[in-house]
Amino acid sequence: MSSAAMNELDQAAIVAAARALEAGALVAFPTETVYGLGADAESPAAVARIYEAKGRPNDHPVIVHLAPGADLSYWASEIPAEAHALVAAFWPGPLTLILKRASHIPDAVSGGQDTVGLRCPSHPVAMALLSAFKGGKGGVAAPSANKFGNVSPTTAQHVRDEFDGDVGQGPGNGARIAAVLDGGSSQVGIESTILDLSRLATHGPVLLRPGHISAKQIADVIGQMPGLPDQSAPRASGTLESHYAPKAPVALIAGAAVVETLAALQARQRQVAVIHYSAIALGGAQAILPGDPVGYAYGLYAALRAMDQTGADLILVEAPPQGEAWLGVNDRLRRAAFGSAGTIEKFLQA
């Protein structure tokens, strides 16, 4: 969706959503990565409503979304040159920067830490909403618009499905979420890259979560390859071992073993849904994703949701290729499957 495509009704809905946020309500809105569940980042009470609606642990930080051209110094107490360079290169876009939090910014957005995650999304609806909210001077705290640990939503309908019966029309309607802005399907499809710049002097830049923007792209801008997280790294959104998971267990398996494993499970009367990208002849519930990392990421969460809705006992996923371009996809799938280890073996032995 382009800015030109937003008609007067869209603009009215965006303004109404901005007023709802200013009143302390929750609003779900599209970004280029996934849909976010937003609240006024400077209102601890409003941010608490996000945690309540999602069932999110209070120590798990959220990302603050800013309008284009926002004053970083209002949100962060230290802004290194690397941050300015990355903002110039990738904002608006799917890159979150972890910086030292300004003292007047509530620690509700950072899970009690002294850091804050900042991002400027590129989706035109998100940019319009952030520009309308507090005249573009505010920040919207927004994790993905789903129950904690579940598959992130990439369409407005995914959000409605996730919070069935809890979405209203404006603040004060009794629903937890005042409105859902529909901006079509999220074009990236997985969450933003998260880069820690809060400990440059001691640890250098650290990649906390891989995403659409790669470590090499970051290094090309700041002249240093990001390191891996250590024990003292800040906690960040979407980095728990088990995350992004559908209700059905998920198992990753090499492409060469998909047909044989599927047949063995079906022989045990198991209902299996399959997500694959190779040209594999299969019957039954399946989702075929593109064989390139960008196309695969775009369709991944929708495929997980669709296969989960088939009522399958197991979602079998053909393991994607390795390599830097696939890091974000493999990270999400590893976390989606984390709680399902041993499921294939258990089903085959039953």
Side-chain angles (χ1 to χ4, degrees):
M1 176 185 289
S2 68
S3 297
M6 292 192 296
N7 57 31
E8 291 182 4
L9 178 62
D10 294 321
Q11 292 289 357
I14 287 167
V15 171
R19 299 295 87 81
L21 288 169
E22 291 167 2
L26 303 184
V27 169
F29 63 97
T31 79
E32 74 279 14
T33 57
V34 299
Y35 274 65
L37 183 60
D40 183 352
E42 295 182 83
S43 169
V47 173
R49 294 186 185 104
I50 295 177
Y51 284 87
E52 180 185 4
K54 285 177 61 73
R56 186 182 182 92
N58 289 335
D59 65 349
H60 202 57
V62 293
I63 294 168
V64 177
H65 295 68
L66 305 177
D71 180 8
L72 288 185
S73 66
Y74 181 79
W75 299 93
S77 60
E78 300 175 14
I79 308 171
E82 290 86 346
H84 289 295
L86 290 167
V87 165
F90 298 117
W91 282 14
L95 176 66
T96 295
L97 299 178
I98 305 296
L99 302 171
K100 287 295 185 182
R101 176 173 50 83
S103 60
H104 64 275
I105 301 302
D107 65 3
V109 298
S110 56
Q113 302 177 112
D114 65 352
T115 52
V116 62
L118 302 174
R119 180 167 103 81
C120 175
S122 64
H123 194 291
V125 172
M127 289 195 291
L129 175 65
L130 292 163
S131 295
F133 174 64
K134 294 185 176 180
K137 305 295 186 182
V140 174
S144 55
N146 54 274
K147 295 292 186 178
F148 184 71
N150 289 3
V151 180
S152 300
T154 54
T155 69
Q157 189 58 51
H158 291 165
V159 179
R160 298 186 188 102
D161 292 344
E162 191 79 13
F163 294 99
D164 183 34
D166 229 357
V167 177
Q169 297 295 324
N173 51 44
R176 283 182 171 175
I177 302 173
V180 178
L181 294 177
D182 191 342
S185 297
S186 297
Q187 291 302 301
V188 173
I190 60 173
E191 298 78 3
S192 62
T193 302
I194 301 181
L195 183 72
D196 177 29
L197 296 177
S198 69
R199 307 173 302 155
L200 280 176
T202 55
H203 294 78
V206 175
L207 185 67
L208 299 182
R209 182 175 72 185
H212 184 71
I213 294 174
S214 70
K216 183 181 182 303
Q217 288 175 290
I218 291 169
D220 287 344
V221 173
I222 63 175
Q224 184 178 0
M225 184 66 74
L228 297 176
D230 56 280
Q231 291 296 320
S232 63
R235 297 186 304 278
S237 295
T239 55
L240 298 180
E241 286 296 334
S242 180
H243 217 71
Y244 314 114
K247 294 179 177 65
V250 174
L252 294 169
I253 188 168
V258 169
V259 173
E260 181 181 352
T261 302
L262 177 62
L265 288 165
Q266 290 174 335
R268 295 290 197 280
Q269 306 303 309
R270 292 294 180 177
Q271 299 298 313
V272 182
V274 182
I275 297 175
H276 62 100
Y277 63 92
S278 297
I280 305 173
L282 300 173
Q286 60 181 301
I288 306 173
L289 294 178
D292 66 279
V294 173
Y296 193 106
Y298 171 78
L300 174 59
Y301 287 156
L304 283 170
R305 284 179 172 269
M307 294 302 95
D308 205 24
Q309 290 173 356
T310 67
D313 299 317
L314 173 69
I315 300 174
L316 202 61
V317 180
E318 178 188 8
Q322 298 300 306
E324 185 181 37
W326 290 89
L327 277 178
V329 162
N330 280 307
D331 172 83
R332 304 317 188 272
L333 282 173
R334 177 179 63 80
R335 297 179 196 278
F338 181 81
S340 308
T343 299
I344 292 177
E345 292 78 6
K346 181 180 73 174
F347 284 172
L348 291 179
Q349 291 169 5

